[in-house]
Amino acid sequence: MVCSGTNLKTMNTLKIALQKSGRLSEKSIRLLLDCGIGLSNGTKSLKAKSDNFPLEILFLRDDDIPQYVAEGVAHLGIVGSNVVTEKGISLPQLLQLGFAKCRLSLAIPKEENYEGIGFFQNKKIATSYPRILKEYLQQKQIECDIEEISGSVEIATSIGLAHAVCDIVSTGSTLLQNGLKEVHSIYQSEAVLVSTPSLPAAEQVLANELLFRIKAVLAARQNKYILLNTPNKSIDPICQLLPGMKSPTILPLAQPGWSSLHSVVPENDFWPVISALKDLGAEGILVTSIEKMIA
Ligand code: ATP
Ligand code: ZN
């Protein structure tokens, strides 16, 4: 249920767990700020309160977030899906948030010859993600020895601890710097919004409101607002290219035979669409970011 406009002052407090310091922290806070949620006492202490939304923020290590949310200490949490899966804790996932995208990959010393997943049969693999790795290799019927380590996984082969590693990768540059090559990806991750399994009714209303705002912010981030001038004869084909949220807005220009057309285009379609618009005679194309988008 969407409940934008609910009288928030009469409600209980919703608690959300965010990573205190790390790759998720800044973007998690940014998301709340973009949702119009102000933070009165900053992000330095372990708890913060919003001054304009009944929200308390708990700043934790990311590894602790699934458990706090599962136990209801926090009603919601923002954490990498890799951490939730690795903990083996089943939590309702409300949204994928589109940041902290990374993958969990198997990597081997770069001089080794790799001809497929069978390479790992009876090998020793170092990882901080033993559960995800074990489940994946079991599905592939690969027997191996998993060495669980909590950090600096990428040096495990060079110090003779393991034949291969399984670690988080985004660009692969850390692996390369350590003489490793990524050979097989086993899990795709991004930041997700998770919820405690049974949210009390009052907090559910607040969670719905927050979810409504987050969806509007994410939709806005994924789209651009586009304004252009077009010869009238190109209006129909341009409308096909830019269907917009309902349909494009078309306004006549002072110059006869021309119109101004306004629409919305998904960020990912942007460059191909621009080329096609130019081919159709569009001029004066302006593209701007959207702050919030509510369908
Ligand atoms: P904490 O101190 O909270 O335990 P951490 O060191 O375990 O932090 P970070 O390195 O901050 O964790 O990573 C947090 C999450 O960000 C990871 O669980 C993963 O989901 C994502 N992540 C990790 N590495 C990358 C990367 N290179 N690019 C994008 N996202 C990443
Ligand atoms: Zn961690």
Side-chain angles (χ1 to χ4, degrees):
M1 179 190 69
V2 168
C3 54
S4 191
T6 309
N7 183 2
L8 302 173
K9 291 203 174 91
T10 59
M11 303 275 177
N12 294 15
T13 299
L14 186 68
K15 293 184 189 163
I16 188 167
L18 306 185
Q19 189 187 25
K20 175 158 178 53
S21 155
R23 290 175 190 269
L24 298 165
S25 314
E26 204 183 308
K27 289 192 169 149
S28 304
I29 294 287
R30 181 77 258 158
L31 184 62
L32 294 183
L33 294 174
D34 287 351
C35 289
I37 294 174
L39 299 180
S40 53
N41 53 346
T43 59
K44 296 261 184 290
S45 47
L46 296 178
K47 273 199 216 172
K49 267 197 168 148
S50 169
D51 46 17
N52 61 0
F53 192 98
L55 184 73
E56 185 168 286
I57 300 155
L58 311 180
F59 292 105
L60 304 171
R61 283 199 59 198
D62 67 343
D63 312 69
D64 296 332
I65 292 176
Q67 192 186 337
Y68 275 62
V69 174
E71 290 174 3
V73 176
H75 303 113
L76 301 176
I78 293 181
V79 63
S81 68
N82 54 321
V83 172
V84 184
T85 307
E86 181 57 33
K87 292 285 168 195
I89 296 176
S90 169
L91 292 174
Q93 184 178 303
L94 305 184
L95 274 182
Q96 293 180 302
L97 299 173
F99 59 87
K101 287 191 177 176
C102 56
R103 55 196 183 273
L104 195 55
S105 285
L106 287 156
I108 61 174
K110 63 177 184 308
E111 59 283 359
E112 295 268 8
N113 188 29
Y114 183 75
E115 286 177 349
I117 191 83
F119 173 92
F120 297 101
Q121 192 70 38
N122 299 322
K123 295 274 185 355
K124 192 169 180 185
I125 309 176
T127 188
S128 308
Y129 293 88
R131 181 190 294 263
I132 296 176
L133 179 60
K134 187 169 165 217
E135 279 177 14
Y136 185 85
L137 293 175
Q138 264 172 2
Q139 278 170 23
K140 298 281 172 192
Q141 295 174 328
I142 304 281
E143 294 272 341
C144 70
D145 184 6
I146 297 177
E147 180 78 25
E148 181 177 354
I149 50 177
S150 60
S152 304
V153 173
E154 60 282 355
I155 61 162
T157 59
S158 61
I159 60 173
L161 182 68
H163 300 108
V165 303
C166 181
D167 203 8
I168 292 284
V169 182
S170 65
T171 62
S173 59
T174 310
L175 292 177
L176 284 176
Q177 280 163 17
N178 287 282
L180 295 166
K181 61 181 175 188
E182 180 181 3
V183 291
H184 194 90
S185 175
I186 69 164
Y187 185 91
Q188 301 290 328
S189 179
E190 69 182 278
V192 290
L193 179 71
V194 288
S195 157
T196 197
S198 45
L199 205 53
E203 282 79 7
Q204 182 70 62
V205 173
L206 295 172
N208 288 346
E209 169 66 23
L210 181 61
L211 203 58
F212 173 75
R213 294 191 191 188
I214 293 177
K215 283 181 182 169
V217 170
L218 295 182
R221 286 180 185 174
Q222 286 156 11
N223 288 278
K224 298 280 180 202
Y225 192 70
I226 184 162
L227 305 91
L228 56 86
N229 296 329
T230 172
N232 287 346
K233 66 176 172 22
S234 295
I235 290 177
D236 284 347
I238 291 182
C239 288
Q240 306 261 321
L241 282 173
L242 297 174
M245 289 174 74
K246 190 157 189 163
S247 68
T249 304
I250 297 160
L251 303 165
L253 285 189
Q255 185 176 335
W258 282 77
S259 296
S260 166
L261 187 146
H262 303 193
S263 194
V264 170
V265 59
E267 169 94 64
N268 292 339
D269 297 349
F270 172 68
W271 287 113
V273 168
I274 294 292
S275 312
L277 294 174
K278 288 184 65 129
D279 292 344
L280 285 164
E283 290 179 5
I285 303 171
L286 301 179
V287 179
T288 65
S289 300
I290 302 170
E291 201 176 307
K292 312 280 184 292
M293 188 165 149
I294 298 149

